[in-house]
Amino acid sequence: MTITDEETTVARGEDAVVKPGERRPYLLVLSGTGIGRSLRIEKRSYTIGRAADADFRLDDEGISRHHAKVVVLAHDVVLLKDLGSTNGTFVNDQQIEAHPLAEGDRVQLGATITLKFGMEDDIEAAVRQQLFTAATRDPLTGAHNKRSFEEQMVRALAFSRRHKQPLSIVAFDVDHFKRVNDEHGHLAGDDVLRAVSALLQKEIRLEDSLARVGGEEFCVILPGIDLAHGVLAAERLRAALEAAVIQTVAGGIQVTMSLGVAEFDAMRHASLEGLVGDADGRLYEAKAAGRNRVMPNPPRRGVRSSSRTIPDGRALRGEITGSFRPDPPDGSES
């Protein structure tokens, strides 16, 4: 099981080494990439590094692909081993090759990542999870909040630069959202935002990330996606929302959204602000052109895509149209 950038992660399996109710070992990120993430140690071993197949992935320039390994020995001894990393593994400021961990130990990986080793029961783990969720998730919609979005974007940009992989983002907001609040009330407006978030979360890939960055404003991070496929993904989201009837305290409501798509260009975008600014600019173009549309425009009806496959493996169907859908996956006026 590969552990990604989500919250506290528990990996369970046939090799679990603890029983329910026991105090369980964990590693908590204190500094560097992914502050607040944690690894609850419930298997015999885990690898830590920036490789895609690492059990606990930390996408940081100072971390080796397979940097260190955690091994649970007899009598619940937790051993930390360096895997020949470039920048070393340290426990309490001492470089180690292999070292048994004790509660309270500080583990440093490379120059910037600091972890804390500790023990906790399920209640303590639940409280820590709630605190992490409060710090990274929007309480109304459950989407990532702006701070979490910016942290993820920094990592995504670094990965795109290092591996020369495409990266696109979609900026969008709900059209005429002020009118929804004025005509149906703020509780209905909240229902709309929750429903928009839930609907779009089902439409995006597991590796994509949805964030609420303002009142009715959202962004989606699309790693590994170029501009052409980013536009297609945005059009799929637009069409899905347009077709939906959202149930609210005021009854069924239909809303639309305007979307702007931008692809990261290392020559043009010196920072995430530049990339986000480009996506925002195209969002405003979509609104100026009449709303309920994607900018840049999706391919016209009858125009075939130059690529027949979206990077996540889903085949494009026939000719691209304004209502393209891929195979289903296995206070101002706005």
Side-chain angles (χ1 to χ4, degrees), residues 62 174 221 297:
V174 179
I221 305 172
N297 288 311

Side-chain angles (χ1 to χ4, degrees), residues 42-304:
E42 295 192 337
K43 297 201 307 178
R44 295 291 179 189
S45 66
Y46 297 86
T47 55
I48 302 173
R50 60 178 174 83
D53 63 350
D55 295 312
F56 191 51
R57 186 182 178 202
L58 297 168
D59 190 14
D60 185 275
E61 292 284 353
I63 301 297
S64 295
R65 290 176 55 77
H66 298 100
H67 194 104
K69 187 173 186 177
V70 175
V71 181
V72 180
L73 304 177
H75 308 295
D76 294 334
V77 173
V78 178
L79 184 73
L80 178 67
K81 300 172 63 177
D82 183 79
L83 296 178
S85 65
T86 301
N87 294 320
T89 300
F90 300 79
V91 176
N92 300 327
D93 298 323
Q94 299 295 315
Q95 187 167 3
I96 62 100
E97 292 184 0
H99 186 84
L101 295 174
E103 188 164 8
D105 279 349
R106 299 292 178 96
V107 175
Q108 183 174 334
L109 306 177
T112 61
I113 300 290
T114 302
L115 310 173
K116 175 187 175 182
F117 178 77
M119 303 289 292
E120 64 184 1
D121 59 26
D122 288 343
I123 294 175
E124 293 167 330
V127 170
R128 184 164 51 75
Q129 174 65 54
Q130 291 171 2
L131 293 174
F132 183 76
T133 299
T136 60
R137 295 282 180 168
D138 172 56
L140 177 65
T141 65
H144 289 278
N145 60 23
K146 186 174 182 179
R147 174 184 172 185
S148 178
F149 165 75
E150 291 174 346
E151 291 176 351
Q152 290 183 72
M153 279 298 300
V154 169
R155 296 196 297 272
L157 289 169
F159 185 88
S160 179
R161 285 193 184 98
R162 184 169 64 242
H163 297 286
K164 295 180 172 55
Q165 292 293 310
L167 168 68
S168 294
I169 65 168
V170 181
F172 62 92
D173 65 21
V174 179
D175 294 329
H176 300 298
F177 185 69
K178 182 176 183 298
R179 186 183 302 171
V180 173
N181 282 330
D182 290 345
E183 295 182 0
H184 302 284
H186 289 277
L187 292 179
D190 287 349
D191 288 340
V192 167
L193 293 178
R194 276 192 291 264
V196 167
S197 177
L199 174 66
L200 300 187
Q201 192 66 59
K202 294 178 181 177
E203 292 289 328
I204 63 178
R205 306 170 303 165
L206 290 176
E207 59 265 45
D208 301 334
S209 182
L210 173 69
R212 183 186 180 197
V213 296
E216 68 271 25
E217 301 166 7
F218 294 80
C219 278
V220 178
I221 305 172
L222 302 173
I225 298 293
D226 61 16
L227 180 62
H229 287 98
V231 168
L232 291 175
E235 173 60 20
R236 184 177 72 250
L237 300 180
R238 186 207 63 77
L241 182 61
E242 182 184 38
V245 177
I246 296 173
Q247 298 303 318
T248 74
V249 294
I253 296 176
Q254 287 188 285
V255 296
T256 61
M257 60 183 176
S258 301
L259 308 93
V261 187
E263 180 182 3
F264 173 60
D265 182 340
M267 300 297 292
R268 294 183 58 249
H269 301 128
S271 65
L272 73 89
E273 288 80 10
L275 177 58
V276 173
D278 276 0
D280 280 341
R282 286 168 174 166
L283 165 59
Y284 295 135
E285 290 176 15
K287 287 188 173 297
R291 297 184 172 86
N292 189 26
R293 65 192 65 215
V294 175
M295 285 292 181
N297 288 311
R300 297 186 305 276
R301 182 180 299 274
V303 176
R304 293 182 180 273

